[in-house]
Amino acid sequence: MRIESREPSQSERSVLGADALVIGDITGEGSLDVAGRVQGNIKISGDVNVLTGASVLGHIQANSLKVSGKVRGNLSARVSIEVGGAGEIEGKLEAPRIGIETGAYVVGSILTGPPGKAASLDQPGLPRAPSALEAKAVPERFPLPPKARVERVLTPSLPAVERIDDEELSQESEEDDLQEGFDSSEPDSPTEERTDAGGPRRKRRRRRNRRPEHDGRSSPNAAPFLPKSSMSERPTQTLGSSPSESLALPRIPTFQKGTHGRRRD
Amino acid sequence: MAETVMGAGLTIAGSVASKGDVQLNGRVTGSVEVDGALEVGPEGAILSDVRAGRVSVAGAVEGNIEGRERVDLLGGARLLGNVKAPRLTIADGATFRGQVEMEPRS
């Protein structure tokens, strides 16, 4: 009968053979070479070496780790983790020093630096790194100005377009009214003829020049899809001709006279 | 056949199975099923049933032992359970409490 003195934990090396299967956790002191299969966690004080062909289904926590086999679980080492080229790991790797050889298959997060003090992505105080999911969402970084945005919505729906029109009209007409040198000599017909085609573009142009010359280059009036109604042909060159159109502009006939007048108030 | 050697400082909270030879010097809580030879070291402790081809016990076993070929209880062995084997040896100093069933040799 041999009486074995208790050897220091680091030097006691255990081997799990290639055809061995352990279903359960392995804990304690000593080092371990895994050549077989382990279904359970390994938490030992020494080194763990997962050889090629071995598989561990569970977390491994050891002093230093070498993985050349398959591990599905988190790896945490006090000193280092080395993943060989044949290693396949699905889980977190956490150790002060981590080395991964070319060809290894690693899926998971990698945290180097002392365990526990690793720069966790969720550590308070540090800016949270965007996750892959967040990165995919394209934020609207350049929101368009409200007016332009609405303008781009070229919906055939009458109300929206007309609202824009009214706003433009109201603003411009107010400005125009302020100007004494209001020139209404431009005939209406070219203005009206221009209203239906190319409406939006004209509108944009007009907005840029806040005070466009009153050359009758008019306004894009409303949605180009809308047929010219009888209202649009209303003579607008006369100022104050109609009671509800006291601020009538020479260039921009609106489709709904009532709406236009209402907004003035 | 590959060999499995379990150090004395380890504890396996589960079962161990192998096709080869196994040497257990630590603590095993679950069952042990070995196709080859099983050797339980003096510091080993197995707290469940053991089945192997050849069993050699020098430590503690709390459970039944089934050896398909033979079972040897060495000195210092502490067995609390039944033994089933065609051949059995109990060395001087071994402690054994249980039943013995020796299959007739065919």
Side-chain angles (χ1 to χ4, degrees):
Chain A
M1 182 171 73
R2 292 178 300 153
I3 298 189
E4 287 180 3
S5 59
R6 196 63 179 253
E7 292 176 359
S9 61
Q10 301 293 343
S11 60
E12 196 163 17
R13 183 143 219 114
S14 304
V15 176
L16 209 59
D19 46 13
L21 166 65
V22 172
I23 303 181
D25 295 344
I26 302 179
T27 58
E29 298 186 352
S31 302
L32 177 64
D33 288 342
V34 180
R37 289 175 296 155
V38 175
Q39 291 181 19
N41 304 322
I42 300 177
K43 184 176 171 181
I44 61 178
S45 65
D47 307 335
V48 170
N49 190 355
V50 180
L51 304 173
T52 309
S55 75
V56 174
L57 190 65
H59 307 312
I60 305 181
Q61 185 177 333
N63 190 46
S64 81
L65 278 171
K66 275 193 203 169
V67 179
S68 296
K70 296 186 193 176
V71 175
R72 189 185 293 184
N74 300 332
L75 279 78
S76 173
R78 276 196 298 276
V79 172
S80 68
I81 296 179
E82 287 177 35
V83 183
E88 296 179 23
I89 298 179
E90 288 180 20
K92 284 197 302 189
L93 279 77
E94 192 171 348
R97 298 164 52 128
I98 297 180
I100 302 179
E101 272 185 25
T102 310
Y105 170 86
V106 176
V107 172
S109 60
I110 296 179
L111 300 172
T112 56
K117 268 183 61 180
S120 163
L121 294 178
D122 295 329
Q123 209 176 39
L126 290 178
R128 186 166 177 276
S131 65
L133 207 58
E134 289 174 346
K136 282 192 187 131
V138 177
E140 192 174 357
R141 307 240 292 262
F142 305 103
L144 300 166
K147 273 213 172 169
R149 198 192 294 139
V150 179
E151 182 208 8
R152 287 200 311 163
V153 179
L154 283 182
T155 60
S157 68
L158 248 182
V161 179
E162 288 186 3
R163 259 204 300 282
I164 300 169
D165 249 9
D166 288 345
E167 272 181 6
E168 273 187 89
L169 287 181
S170 60
Q171 288 180 8
E172 297 215 11
S173 64
E174 278 164 8
E175 286 176 33
D176 291 340
D177 284 337
L178 291 176
Q179 296 178 6
E180 273 317 302
F182 179 78
D183 187 14
S184 63
S185 59
E186 288 298 316
D188 241 355
S189 35
T191 300
E192 286 180 0
E193 280 164 10
R194 284 213 208 142
T195 48
D196 38 352
R201 272 188 60 228
R202 297 247 177 78
K203 205 182 300 181
R204 234 179 284 137
R205 206 180 302 140
R206 206 153 66 94
R207 195 177 299 107
R208 268 204 300 270
N209 313 326
R210 215 46 211 182
R211 285 151 173 273
E213 298 176 82
H214 301 298
D215 53 357
R217 191 185 7 174
S218 149
S219 68
N221 201 353
F225 331 101
L226 294 170
K228 282 205 301 188
S229 64
S230 57
M231 302 291 254
S232 64
E233 288 169 11
R234 188 188 58 237
T236 53
Q237 56 195 357
T238 52
L239 276 178
S241 59
S242 53
S244 56
E245 281 263 72
S246 54
L247 304 173
L249 291 178
R251 38 187 121 87
I252 310 155
T254 59
F255 284 100
Q256 282 185 11
K257 174 181 153 187
T259 308
H260 189 75
R262 265 205 306 278
R263 288 179 67 91
R264 302 288 170 154
D265 299 335
Chain B
M1 293 267 199
E3 204 181 77
T4 297
V5 174
M6 176 193 173
L10 291 189
T11 300
I12 296 183
S15 59
V16 178
S18 173
K19 292 196 183 72
D21 299 340
V22 175
Q23 181 181 0
L24 299 176
N25 301 313
R27 198 179 160 86
V28 177
T29 311
S31 63
V32 178
E33 175 135 7
V34 174
D35 288 356
L38 170 65
E39 187 180 325
V40 181
E43 296 180 45
I46 306 196
L47 307 178
S48 186
D49 291 350
V50 170
R51 279 172 54 179
R54 299 184 299 280
V55 183
S56 162
V57 180
V61 174
E62 269 187 46
N64 302 325
I65 298 182
E66 180 181 336
R68 287 181 284 276
E69 290 180 25
R70 59 179 303 119
V71 172
D72 297 309
L73 300 184
L74 307 179
R78 300 172 295 284
L79 173 59
L80 187 63
N82 304 328
V83 174
K84 182 177 175 183
R87 300 172 74 122
L88 172 66
T89 69
I90 303 177
D92 186 18
T95 310
F96 173 29
R97 173 187 277 192
Q99 289 184 344
V100 176
E101 181 182 342
M102 303 184 73
E103 299 162 354
R105 242 198 285 175
S106 54

